[in-house]
PDB file of all heavy atoms in Angstrom:
ATOM      1  N   THR A   1     104.242 -10.102   0.001  1.00 48.00           N
ATOM      2  CA  THR A   1     103.176 -10.597  -0.749  1.00 48.00           C
ATOM      3  C   THR A   1     103.324 -10.376  -2.256  1.00 48.00           C
ATOM      4  O   THR A   1     102.506 -10.873  -3.014  1.00 48.00           O
ATOM      5  CB  THR A   1     101.811  -9.945  -0.389  1.00 48.00           C
ATOM      6  OG1 THR A   1     102.020  -8.499  -0.421  1.00 48.00           O
ATOM      7  CG2 THR A   1     101.518 -10.272   1.139  1.00 48.00           C
ATOM      8  N   SER A   2     104.417  -9.749  -2.641  1.00 57.00           N
ATOM      9  CA  SER A   2     104.684  -9.524  -3.994  1.00 57.00           C
ATOM     10  C   SER A   2     105.168 -10.853  -4.525  1.00 57.00           C
ATOM     11  O   SER A   2     106.013 -11.522  -4.042  1.00 57.00           O
ATOM     12  CB  SER A   2     105.607  -8.471  -4.283  1.00 57.00           C
ATOM     13  OG  SER A   2     106.800  -8.725  -3.700  1.00 57.00           O
ATOM     14  N   ALA A   3     104.678 -11.261  -5.790  1.00 60.00           N
ATOM     15  CA  ALA A   3     105.048 -12.518  -6.429  1.00 60.00           C
ATOM     16  C   ALA A   3     106.085 -12.305  -7.479  1.00 60.00           C
ATOM     17  O   ALA A   3     105.908 -11.420  -8.350  1.00 60.00           O
ATOM     18  CB  ALA A   3     103.813 -13.168  -6.988  1.00 60.00           C
ATOM     19  N   ALA A   4     107.183 -12.931  -7.437  1.00 68.00           N
ATOM     20  CA  ALA A   4     108.167 -12.906  -8.546  1.00 68.00           C
ATOM     21  C   ALA A   4     107.725 -13.929  -9.549  1.00 68.00           C
ATOM     22  O   ALA A   4     107.206 -14.969  -9.269  1.00 68.00           O
ATOM     23  CB  ALA A   4     109.527 -13.309  -7.925  1.00 68.00           C
ATOM     24  N   PRO A   5     108.011 -13.610 -10.830  1.00 81.00           N
ATOM     25  CA  PRO A   5     107.684 -14.613 -11.875  1.00 81.00           C
ATOM     26  C   PRO A   5     108.421 -15.894 -11.731  1.00 81.00           C
ATOM     27  O   PRO A   5     109.577 -15.936 -11.402  1.00 81.00           O
ATOM     28  CB  PRO A   5     108.059 -13.893 -13.220  1.00 81.00           C
ATOM     29  CG  PRO A   5     108.743 -12.606 -12.715  1.00 81.00           C
ATOM     30  CD  PRO A   5     108.684 -12.417 -11.331  1.00 81.00           C
ATOM     31  N   CYS A   6     107.629 -16.960 -11.731  1.00 83.00           N
ATOM     32  CA  CYS A   6     108.278 -18.264 -11.640  1.00 83.00           C
ATOM     33  C   CYS A   6     108.087 -19.155 -12.910  1.00 83.00           C
ATOM     34  O   CYS A   6     107.990 -20.318 -12.862  1.00 83.00           O
ATOM     35  CB  CYS A   6     107.626 -18.947 -10.353  1.00 83.00           C
ATOM     36  SG  CYS A   6     107.998 -18.239  -8.818  1.00 83.00           S
ATOM     37  N   ASP A   7     107.947 -18.470 -14.048  1.00 86.00           N
ATOM     38  CA  ASP A   7     107.741 -19.143 -15.230  1.00 86.00           C
ATOM     39  C   ASP A   7     108.808 -20.086 -15.628  1.00 86.00           C
ATOM     40  O   ASP A   7     108.630 -21.136 -16.310  1.00 86.00           O
ATOM     41  CB  ASP A   7     107.518 -18.148 -16.369  1.00 86.00           C
ATOM     42  CG  ASP A   7     106.260 -17.313 -16.280  1.00 86.00           C
ATOM     43  OD1 ASP A   7     105.431 -17.691 -15.508  1.00 86.00           O
ATOM     44  OD2 ASP A   7     106.247 -16.213 -16.907  1.00 86.00           O
ATOM     45  N   TRP A   8     109.982 -19.763 -15.175  1.00 88.00           N
ATOM     46  CA  TRP A   8     111.231 -20.543 -15.547  1.00 88.00           C
ATOM     47  C   TRP A   8     111.281 -21.833 -14.743  1.00 88.00           C
ATOM     48  O   TRP A   8     111.946 -22.825 -15.039  1.00 88.00           O
ATOM     49  CB  TRP A   8     112.483 -19.873 -15.183  1.00 88.00           C
ATOM     50  CG  TRP A   8     112.575 -19.381 -13.795  1.00 88.00           C
ATOM     51  CD1 TRP A   8     112.057 -18.202 -13.243  1.00 88.00           C
ATOM     52  CD2 TRP A   8     113.145 -20.074 -12.733  1.00 88.00           C
ATOM     53  NE1 TRP A   8     112.327 -18.120 -11.919  1.00 88.00           N
ATOM     54  CE2 TRP A   8     112.994 -19.171 -11.545  1.00 88.00           C
ATOM     55  CE3 TRP A   8     113.878 -21.292 -12.608  1.00 88.00           C
ATOM     56  CZ2 TRP A   8     113.475 -19.627 -10.283  1.00 88.00           C
ATOM     57  CZ3 TRP A   8     114.399 -21.669 -11.327  1.00 88.00           C
ATOM     58  CH2 TRP A   8     114.065 -20.771 -10.216  1.00 88.00           C
ATOM     59  N   LEU A   9     110.498 -21.942 -13.585  1.00 87.00           N
ATOM     60  CA  LEU A   9     110.501 -23.170 -12.709  1.00 87.00           C
ATOM     61  C   LEU A   9     109.448 -24.095 -13.189  1.00 87.00           C
ATOM     62  O   LEU A   9     108.274 -23.765 -13.442  1.00 87.00           O
ATOM     63  CB  LEU A   9     110.219 -22.676 -11.276  1.00 87.00           C
ATOM     64  CG  LEU A   9     110.468 -23.572 -10.195  1.00 87.00           C
ATOM     65  CD1 LEU A   9     112.005 -24.000 -10.046  1.00 87.00           C
ATOM     66  CD2 LEU A   9     110.095 -22.961  -8.788  1.00 87.00           C
ATOM     67  N   PRO A  10     109.803 -25.415 -13.350  1.00 91.00           N
ATOM     68  CA  PRO A  10     108.849 -26.432 -13.724  1.00 91.00           C
ATOM     69  C   PRO A  10     107.721 -26.525 -12.654  1.00 91.00           C
ATOM     70  O   PRO A  10     107.943 -26.293 -11.501  1.00 91.00           O
ATOM     71  CB  PRO A  10     109.638 -27.682 -13.776  1.00 91.00           C
ATOM     72  CG  PRO A  10     111.135 -27.274 -13.835  1.00 91.00           C
ATOM     73  CD  PRO A  10     111.201 -25.924 -13.208  1.00 91.00           C
ATOM     74  N   ASP A  11     106.507 -26.861 -13.079  1.00 92.00           N
ATOM     75  CA  ASP A  11     105.399 -26.817 -12.165  1.00 92.00           C
ATOM     76  C   ASP A  11     105.589 -27.806 -11.021  1.00 92.00           C
ATOM     77  O   ASP A  11     105.143 -27.575  -9.921  1.00 92.00           O
ATOM     78  CB  ASP A  11     104.117 -27.284 -12.953  1.00 92.00           C
ATOM     79  CG  ASP A  11     103.618 -26.230 -13.887  1.00 92.00           C
ATOM     80  OD1 ASP A  11     103.962 -25.002 -13.776  1.00 92.00           O
ATOM     81  OD2 ASP A  11     102.806 -26.452 -14.816  1.00 92.00           O
ATOM     82  N   HIS A  12     106.268 -28.937 -11.269  1.00 93.00           N
ATOM     83  CA  HIS A  12     106.487 -29.920 -10.133  1.00 93.00           C
ATOM     84  C   HIS A  12     107.462 -29.441  -9.125  1.00 93.00           C
ATOM     85  O   HIS A  12     107.537 -30.118  -8.080  1.00 93.00           O
ATOM     86  CB  HIS A  12     106.891 -31.218 -10.720  1.00 93.00           C
ATOM     87  CG  HIS A  12     108.321 -31.289 -11.341  1.00 93.00           C
ATOM     88  ND1 HIS A  12     108.497 -30.930 -12.575  1.00 93.00           N
ATOM     89  CD2 HIS A  12     109.462 -31.633 -10.748  1.00 93.00           C
ATOM     90  CE1 HIS A  12     109.886 -31.008 -12.864  1.00 93.00           C
ATOM     91  NE2 HIS A  12     110.344 -31.456 -11.797  1.00 93.00           N
ATOM     92  N   GLN A  13     108.093 -28.284  -9.309  1.00 91.00           N
ATOM     93  CA  GLN A  13     108.985 -27.733  -8.247  1.00 91.00           C
ATOM     94  C   GLN A  13     108.462 -26.373  -7.668  1.00 91.00           C
ATOM     95  O   GLN A  13     109.172 -25.789  -6.846  1.00 91.00           O
ATOM     96  CB  GLN A  13     110.392 -27.540  -8.947  1.00 91.00           C
ATOM     97  CG  GLN A  13     111.096 -28.795  -9.342  1.00 91.00           C
ATOM     98  CD  GLN A  13     112.402 -28.542  -9.943  1.00 91.00           C
ATOM     99  OE1 GLN A  13     112.673 -27.460 -10.429  1.00 91.00           O
ATOM    100  NE2 GLN A  13     113.225 -29.609  -9.963  1.00 91.00           N
ATOM    101  N   LEU A  14     107.292 -25.944  -8.103  1.00 91.00           N
ATOM    102  CA  LEU A  14     106.790 -24.785  -7.467  1.00 91.00           C
ATOM    103  C   LEU A  14     106.586 -24.840  -5.940  1.00 91.00           C
ATOM    104  O   LEU A  14     106.534 -23.784  -5.332  1.00 91.00           O
ATOM    105  CB  LEU A  14     105.433 -24.458  -8.250  1.00 91.00           C
ATOM    106  CG  LEU A  14     105.536 -23.890  -9.637  1.00 91.00           C
ATOM    107  CD1 LEU A  14     104.172 -23.688 -10.235  1.00 91.00           C
ATOM    108  CD2 LEU A  14     106.340 -22.591  -9.655  1.00 91.00           C
ATOM    109  N   HIS A  15     106.423 -26.015  -5.442  1.00 92.00           N
ATOM    110  CA  HIS A  15     106.187 -26.060  -3.968  1.00 92.00           C
ATOM    111  C   HIS A  15     107.445 -25.585  -3.184  1.00 92.00           C
ATOM    112  O   HIS A  15     107.273 -25.330  -1.997  1.00 92.00           O
ATOM    113  CB  HIS A  15     105.874 -27.550  -3.636  1.00 92.00           C
ATOM    114  CG  HIS A  15     107.041 -28.490  -3.819  1.00 92.00           C
ATOM    115  ND1 HIS A  15     107.285 -28.993  -5.061  1.00 92.00           N
ATOM    116  CD2 HIS A  15     107.915 -29.042  -2.995  1.00 92.00           C
ATOM    117  CE1 HIS A  15     108.373 -29.785  -4.901  1.00 92.00           C
ATOM    118  NE2 HIS A  15     108.764 -29.834  -3.694  1.00 92.00           N
ATOM    119  N   VAL A  16     108.570 -25.536  -3.817  1.00 92.00           N
ATOM    120  CA  VAL A  16     109.776 -25.082  -3.053  1.00 92.00           C
ATOM    121  C   VAL A  16     109.888 -23.598  -2.969  1.00 92.00           C
ATOM    122  O   VAL A  16     110.672 -23.133  -2.157  1.00 92.00           O
ATOM    123  CB  VAL A  16     111.075 -25.610  -3.682  1.00 92.00           C
ATOM    124  CG1 VAL A  16     111.069 -27.114  -3.776  1.00 92.00           C
ATOM    125  CG2 VAL A  16     111.330 -24.995  -5.044  1.00 92.00           C
ATOM    126  N   VAL A  17     109.089 -22.880  -3.712  1.00 91.00           N
ATOM    127  CA  VAL A  17     109.232 -21.364  -3.734  1.00 91.00           C
ATOM    128  C   VAL A  17     109.005 -20.813  -2.276  1.00 91.00           C
ATOM    129  O   VAL A  17     109.766 -19.970  -1.875  1.00 91.00           O
ATOM    130  CB  VAL A  17     108.288 -20.718  -4.834  1.00 91.00           C
ATOM    131  CG1 VAL A  17     108.179 -19.282  -4.686  1.00 91.00           C
ATOM    132  CG2 VAL A  17     108.721 -21.138  -6.237  1.00 91.00           C
ATOM    133  N   PRO A  18     107.853 -21.155  -1.641  1.00 92.00           N
ATOM    134  CA  PRO A  18     107.692 -20.549  -0.247  1.00 92.00           C
ATOM    135  C   PRO A  18     108.822 -20.928   0.645  1.00 92.00           C
ATOM    136  O   PRO A  18     109.136 -20.132   1.471  1.00 92.00           O
ATOM    137  CB  PRO A  18     106.398 -21.197   0.191  1.00 92.00           C
ATOM    138  CG  PRO A  18     105.634 -21.577  -1.002  1.00 92.00           C
ATOM    139  CD  PRO A  18     106.757 -22.016  -2.047  1.00 92.00           C
ATOM    140  N   THR A  19     109.346 -22.163   0.536  1.00 94.00           N
ATOM    141  CA  THR A  19     110.436 -22.518   1.479  1.00 94.00           C
ATOM    142  C   THR A  19     111.670 -21.658   1.139  1.00 94.00           C
ATOM    143  O   THR A  19     112.354 -21.231   2.109  1.00 94.00           O
ATOM    144  CB  THR A  19     110.745 -24.020   1.228  1.00 94.00           C
ATOM    145  OG1 THR A  19     109.681 -24.831   1.574  1.00 94.00           O
ATOM    146  CG2 THR A  19     111.942 -24.481   2.169  1.00 94.00           C
ATOM    147  N   LEU A  20     112.051 -21.465  -0.218  1.00 92.00           N
ATOM    148  CA  LEU A  20     113.180 -20.670  -0.405  1.00 92.00           C
ATOM    149  C   LEU A  20     112.928 -19.191  -0.051  1.00 92.00           C
ATOM    150  O   LEU A  20     113.935 -18.541   0.431  1.00 92.00           O
ATOM    151  CB  LEU A  20     113.438 -20.792  -1.953  1.00 92.00           C
ATOM    152  CG  LEU A  20     113.868 -22.153  -2.503  1.00 92.00           C
ATOM    153  CD1 LEU A  20     114.019 -22.085  -3.972  1.00 92.00           C
ATOM    154  CD2 LEU A  20     115.163 -22.594  -1.780  1.00 92.00           C
ATOM    155  N   ALA A  21     111.808 -18.682  -0.172  1.00 93.00           N
ATOM    156  CA  ALA A  21     111.485 -17.340   0.350  1.00 93.00           C
ATOM    157  C   ALA A  21     111.629 -17.257   1.863  1.00 93.00           C
ATOM    158  O   ALA A  21     112.175 -16.285   2.355  1.00 93.00           O
ATOM    159  CB  ALA A  21     110.003 -16.975  -0.066  1.00 93.00           C
ATOM    160  N   HIS A  22     111.269 -18.304   2.589  1.00 96.00           N
ATOM    161  CA  HIS A  22     111.449 -18.346   4.028  1.00 96.00           C
ATOM    162  C   HIS A  22     112.811 -18.295   4.414  1.00 96.00           C
ATOM    163  O   HIS A  22     113.353 -17.598   5.307  1.00 96.00           O
ATOM    164  CB  HIS A  22     110.655 -19.451   4.583  1.00 96.00           C
ATOM    165  CG  HIS A  22     110.768 -19.521   6.119  1.00 96.00           C
ATOM    166  ND1 HIS A  22     110.255 -18.664   6.952  1.00 96.00           N
ATOM    167  CD2 HIS A  22     111.381 -20.480   6.872  1.00 96.00           C
ATOM    168  CE1 HIS A  22     110.393 -18.983   8.174  1.00 96.00           C
ATOM    169  NE2 HIS A  22     111.230 -20.084   8.167  1.00 96.00           N
ATOM    170  N   VAL A  23     113.627 -19.194   3.674  1.00 97.00           N
ATOM    171  CA  VAL A  23     115.061 -19.228   3.972  1.00 97.00           C
ATOM    172  C   VAL A  23     115.757 -17.862   3.631  1.00 97.00           C
ATOM    173  O   VAL A  23     116.605 -17.411   4.388  1.00 97.00           O
ATOM    174  CB  VAL A  23     115.709 -20.349   3.075  1.00 97.00           C
ATOM    175  CG1 VAL A  23     117.258 -20.312   3.159  1.00 97.00           C
ATOM    176  CG2 VAL A  23     115.179 -21.736   3.602  1.00 97.00           C
ATOM    177  N   ASP A  24     115.393 -17.282   2.584  1.00 96.00           N
ATOM    178  CA  ASP A  24     115.895 -16.023   2.200  1.00 96.00           C
ATOM    179  C   ASP A  24     115.586 -14.922   3.297  1.00 96.00           C
ATOM    180  O   ASP A  24     116.480 -14.134   3.710  1.00 96.00           O
ATOM    181  CB  ASP A  24     115.334 -15.512   0.898  1.00 96.00           C
ATOM    182  CG  ASP A  24     115.976 -14.128   0.396  1.00 96.00           C
ATOM    183  OD1 ASP A  24     117.210 -14.172   0.241  1.00 96.00           O
ATOM    184  OD2 ASP A  24     115.177 -13.233   0.240  1.00 96.00           O
ATOM    185  N   GLN A  25     114.361 -14.966   3.897  1.00 97.00           N
ATOM    186  CA  GLN A  25     114.059 -14.109   4.987  1.00 97.00           C
ATOM    187  C   GLN A  25     114.808 -14.370   6.201  1.00 97.00           C
ATOM    188  O   GLN A  25     115.301 -13.439   6.884  1.00 97.00           O
ATOM    189  CB  GLN A  25     112.536 -14.196   5.253  1.00 97.00           C
ATOM    190  CG  GLN A  25     111.954 -13.312   6.278  1.00 97.00           C
ATOM    191  CD  GLN A  25     110.565 -13.512   6.556  1.00 97.00           C
ATOM    192  OE1 GLN A  25     110.003 -14.624   6.442  1.00 97.00           O
ATOM    193  NE2 GLN A  25     109.838 -12.504   6.912  1.00 97.00           N
ATOM    194  N   LEU A  26     115.012 -15.657   6.511  1.00 98.00           N
ATOM    195  CA  LEU A  26     115.925 -15.963   7.718  1.00 98.00           C
ATOM    196  C   LEU A  26     117.352 -15.549   7.457  1.00 98.00           C
ATOM    197  O   LEU A  26     117.953 -14.981   8.444  1.00 98.00           O
ATOM    198  CB  LEU A  26     115.862 -17.504   7.933  1.00 98.00           C
ATOM    199  CG  LEU A  26     114.553 -18.095   8.511  1.00 98.00           C
ATOM    200  CD1 LEU A  26     114.643 -19.588   8.514  1.00 98.00           C
ATOM    201  CD2 LEU A  26     114.180 -17.491   9.789  1.00 98.00           C
ATOM    202  N   ILE A  27     117.842 -15.675   6.361  1.00 97.00           N
ATOM    203  CA  ILE A  27     119.284 -15.238   6.027  1.00 97.00           C
ATOM    204  C   ILE A  27     119.381 -13.701   6.330  1.00 97.00           C
ATOM    205  O   ILE A  27     120.360 -13.240   6.864  1.00 97.00           O
ATOM    206  CB  ILE A  27     119.709 -15.671   4.648  1.00 97.00           C
ATOM    207  CG1 ILE A  27     119.960 -17.117   4.648  1.00 97.00           C
ATOM    208  CG2 ILE A  27     121.043 -14.973   4.296  1.00 97.00           C
ATOM    209  CD1 ILE A  27     120.171 -17.701   3.232  1.00 97.00           C
ATOM    210  N   ALA A  28     118.387 -12.990   5.737  1.00 97.00           N
ATOM    211  CA  ALA A  28     118.393 -11.495   5.937  1.00 97.00           C
ATOM    212  C   ALA A  28     118.284 -11.155   7.422  1.00 97.00           C
ATOM    213  O   ALA A  28     118.962 -10.219   7.943  1.00 97.00           O
ATOM    214  CB  ALA A  28     117.240 -10.938   5.194  1.00 97.00           C
ATOM    215  N   HIS A  29     117.509 -11.846   8.154  1.00 97.00           N
ATOM    216  CA  HIS A  29     117.312 -11.586   9.583  1.00 97.00           C
ATOM    217  C   HIS A  29     118.585 -11.871  10.385  1.00 97.00           C
ATOM    218  O   HIS A  29     119.100 -11.057  11.206  1.00 97.00           O
ATOM    219  CB  HIS A  29     116.259 -12.420  10.167  1.00 97.00           C
ATOM    220  CG  HIS A  29     115.875 -12.197  11.607  1.00 97.00           C
ATOM    221  ND1 HIS A  29     115.355 -11.065  12.045  1.00 97.00           N
ATOM    222  CD2 HIS A  29     116.071 -12.938  12.698  1.00 97.00           C
ATOM    223  CE1 HIS A  29     115.257 -11.029  13.467  1.00 97.00           C
ATOM    224  NE2 HIS A  29     115.682 -12.288  13.790  1.00 97.00           N
ATOM    225  N   ILE A  30     119.278 -12.999  10.061  1.00 96.00           N
ATOM    226  CA  ILE A  30     120.497 -13.327  10.703  1.00 96.00           C
ATOM    227  C   ILE A  30     121.571 -12.353  10.387  1.00 96.00           C
ATOM    228  O   ILE A  30     122.404 -11.924  11.210  1.00 96.00           O
ATOM    229  CB  ILE A  30     120.921 -14.778  10.364  1.00 96.00           C
ATOM    230  CG1 ILE A  30     119.959 -15.764  10.958  1.00 96.00           C
ATOM    231  CG2 ILE A  30     122.349 -15.072  10.699  1.00 96.00           C
ATOM    232  CD1 ILE A  30     120.134 -17.230  10.481  1.00 96.00           C
ATOM    233  N   SER A  31     121.557 -11.924   9.095  1.00 94.00           N
ATOM    234  CA  SER A  31     122.589 -10.899   8.734  1.00 94.00           C
ATOM    235  C   SER A  31     122.383  -9.632   9.477  1.00 94.00           C
ATOM    236  O   SER A  31     123.443  -8.963   9.838  1.00 94.00           O
ATOM    237  CB  SER A  31     122.452 -10.670   7.216  1.00 94.00           C
ATOM    238  OG  SER A  31     122.748 -11.692   6.447  1.00 94.00           O
ATOM    239  N   ARG A  32     121.185  -9.179   9.668  1.00 95.00           N
ATOM    240  CA  ARG A  32     120.980  -8.095  10.512  1.00 95.00           C
ATOM    241  C   ARG A  32     121.486  -8.167  11.914  1.00 95.00           C
ATOM    242  O   ARG A  32     122.096  -7.248  12.457  1.00 95.00           O
ATOM    243  CB  ARG A  32     119.507  -7.609  10.476  1.00 95.00           C
ATOM    244  CG  ARG A  32     119.038  -6.920   9.197  1.00 95.00           C
ATOM    245  CD  ARG A  32     117.658  -6.314   9.368  1.00 95.00           C
ATOM    246  NE  ARG A  32     116.756  -7.316   9.716  1.00 95.00           N
ATOM    247  CZ  ARG A  32     115.852  -8.043   8.746  1.00 95.00           C
ATOM    248  NH1 ARG A  32     116.218  -7.935   7.524  1.00 95.00           N
ATOM    249  NH2 ARG A  32     115.032  -8.853   9.234  1.00 95.00           N
ATOM    250  N   ILE A  33     121.245  -9.358  12.499  1.00 94.00           N
ATOM    251  CA  ILE A  33     121.683  -9.655  13.877  1.00 94.00           C
ATOM    252  C   ILE A  33     123.157  -9.596  13.943  1.00 94.00           C
ATOM    253  O   ILE A  33     123.749  -8.996  14.894  1.00 94.00           O
ATOM    254  CB  ILE A  33     121.072 -10.944  14.388  1.00 94.00           C
ATOM    255  CG1 ILE A  33     119.640 -10.866  14.597  1.00 94.00           C
ATOM    256  CG2 ILE A  33     121.772 -11.405  15.691  1.00 94.00           C
ATOM    257  CD1 ILE A  33     118.887 -12.245  14.776  1.00 94.00           C
ATOM    258  N   VAL A  34     123.837 -10.271  13.027  1.00 90.00           N
ATOM    259  CA  VAL A  34     125.355 -10.346  12.989  1.00 90.00           C
ATOM    260  C   VAL A  34     125.862  -8.957  12.764  1.00 90.00           C
ATOM    261  O   VAL A  34     126.806  -8.549  13.513  1.00 90.00           O
ATOM    262  CB  VAL A  34     125.767 -11.296  11.961  1.00 90.00           C
ATOM    263  CG1 VAL A  34     127.268 -11.175  11.783  1.00 90.00           C
ATOM    264  CG2 VAL A  34     125.469 -12.713  12.344  1.00 90.00           C
ATOM    265  N   HIS A  35     125.280  -8.154  11.865  1.00 91.00           N
ATOM    266  CA  HIS A  35     125.758  -6.803  11.661  1.00 91.00           C
ATOM    267  C   HIS A  35     125.636  -5.898  12.919  1.00 91.00           C
ATOM    268  O   HIS A  35     126.566  -5.191  13.239  1.00 91.00           O
ATOM    269  CB  HIS A  35     125.013  -6.152  10.400  1.00 91.00           C
ATOM    270  CG  HIS A  35     125.414  -4.774  10.240  1.00 91.00           C
ATOM    271  ND1 HIS A  35     124.819  -3.745  10.874  1.00 91.00           N
ATOM    272  CD2 HIS A  35     126.436  -4.222   9.565  1.00 91.00           C
ATOM    273  CE1 HIS A  35     125.371  -2.604  10.502  1.00 91.00           C
ATOM    274  NE2 HIS A  35     126.310  -2.882   9.647  1.00 91.00           N
TER     275      HIS A  35
END
């Protein structure tokens, strides 16, 4: 639930932030499984 600053991201691209966060979470989960 902690928010990272997204000031660098144009407003019209803010909708991708939750998707990228989800992808990051999936990569971490897969990395734990593989490890």
Side-chain angles (χ1 to χ4, degrees):
T1 57
S2 63
C6 295
D7 297 341
W8 58 272
L9 194 61
D11 288 343
H12 69 276
Q13 293 180 339
L14 286 174
H15 67 280
V16 301
V17 172
T19 301
L20 293 175
H22 180 67
V23 169
D24 186 59
Q25 184 181 29
L26 290 174
I27 290 170
H29 182 68
I30 291 168
S31 296
R32 283 191 301 270
I33 291 171
V34 170
H35 176 268

